[in-house]
Amino acid sequence: MRKKIVAGNWKMNTTLSEGIELARQVNSLVENNPSDVTVVVAPPFIHLAEIRKLLTNVYLAAQNCASESRGAFTGEVSVEMIKSTGAQYVIIGHSERRSYFKEDNDTLFKKTKLAIDQELIPIFCCGEQLSEREAGKYFSTVKDQLDETIFKFDERQFRKIVIAYEPVWAIGTGVNATPQQAQEMHKFIRELIAKKFNESLAEDTTILYGGSCKPSNAKELFDNPDVDGGLIGGASLQAGDFMAIIQSF
Ligand code: PGA
């Protein structure tokens, strides 16, 4: 049985004290409203260890990790360091990392492998640009992104991965994919997994939707059979909105 997950990607927002307060609010809302949804927050790196101490019902993710395991890489944060804070997840391949920091498929493969080796669960992002959607190339773009990264793993490794489909044109724009657009892409990804590996692994893989998901549209997105939750940016910065999204299942 695949998991339902709602993960909040805080991006480069919140000071340490603001982050602690937000995490405290999210944790207490989740504690008081038990459900079968796995809730994850992804604060900035420097908050991880502090926030871990106060989470009881919420899991912790880093937003990124280094593509090398250790050494002379000034400013980088390794998966081992992330793991040592008590975090359980790491977001890899977010479109902002791909575009602003020029992270390519080889780099993302290395990061994902390191995460799996350290038993951190990768939340691996994929998704097409607006121009690719308009040109009708969205299926092939996503297929190429997966073929060149996580489809290189064996079944045992792939089983650890959570996928997030995030159409780039929907991220932070207020324009979400329609439920139909999300469902058809999630179904397509699941079919690719079935072809590449097998049907049961495809059924067991959690595929999240991300991109302008908010309380007003979460239910119609999550109601789709192949949408197993969300990776939430802007709306995860307000505990009440984030909780409303979690309760949309
Ligand atoms: P958004 O961001 O919800 O603000 O569109 C989603 C994401 O980037 O993960």
Side-chain angles (χ1 to χ4, degrees), residues 115-129:
I116 293 170
D117 289 348
Q118 284 289 331
E119 295 182 353
L120 272 180
I121 302 169
I123 300 177
F124 187 89
C125 305
C126 58
E128 79 285 358
Q129 310 268 351

Side-chain angles (χ1 to χ4, degrees), residues 11-156:
K11 308 193 181 186
M12 199 173 71
N13 294 294
T14 72
T15 62
L16 181 57
S17 59
E18 289 165 351
I20 287 172
E21 183 50 32
L22 177 56
R24 209 186 287 287
Q25 287 173 10
V26 170
N27 192 67
S28 121
L29 285 169
V30 171
E31 204 165 61
N32 293 323
N33 296 278
S35 75
D36 60 350
V37 179
T38 298
V39 180
V40 181
V41 290
F45 281 134
I46 63 148
H47 302 16
L48 289 174
E50 278 304 309
I51 286 182
R52 179 68 188 89
K53 291 184 203 156
L54 61 88
L55 297 179
T56 54
N57 292 56
V58 172
Y59 292 85
L60 188 62
Q63 298 173 16
N64 178 32
C65 63
S67 58
E68 301 295 332
S69 57
R70 62 168 59 211
F73 300 99
T74 301
E76 288 293 271
V77 177
S78 72
V79 289
E80 195 181 8
M81 294 171 193
I82 294 167
K83 180 85 183 171
S84 73
T85 68
Q88 300 92 352
Y89 290 80
V90 56
I91 299 171
I92 294 176
H94 191 280
S95 71
E96 289 149 18
R97 301 293 321 171
R98 292 177 190 257
S99 62
Y100 302 141
F101 303 97
K102 309 284 175 259
E103 294 189 2
D104 60 14
N105 288 327
D106 287 346
T107 305
L108 301 180
F109 175 79
K110 282 164 75 179
K111 290 184 177 202
T112 311
K113 175 153 189 337
L114 286 167
I116 293 170
D117 289 348
Q118 284 289 331
E119 295 182 353
L120 272 180
I121 302 169
I123 300 177
F124 187 89
C125 305
C126 58
E128 79 285 358
Q129 310 268 351
L130 182 59
S131 57
E132 292 162 330
R133 172 140 302 254
E134 287 175 344
K137 291 197 290 197
Y138 43 102
F139 287 132
S140 62
T141 298
V142 169
K143 180 175 186 302
D144 289 349
Q145 288 174 342
L146 300 177
D147 276 342
E148 288 166 32
T149 55
I150 57 176
F151 280 179
K152 291 183 172 175
F153 290 116
D154 63 25
E155 181 181 341
R156 183 195 59 81

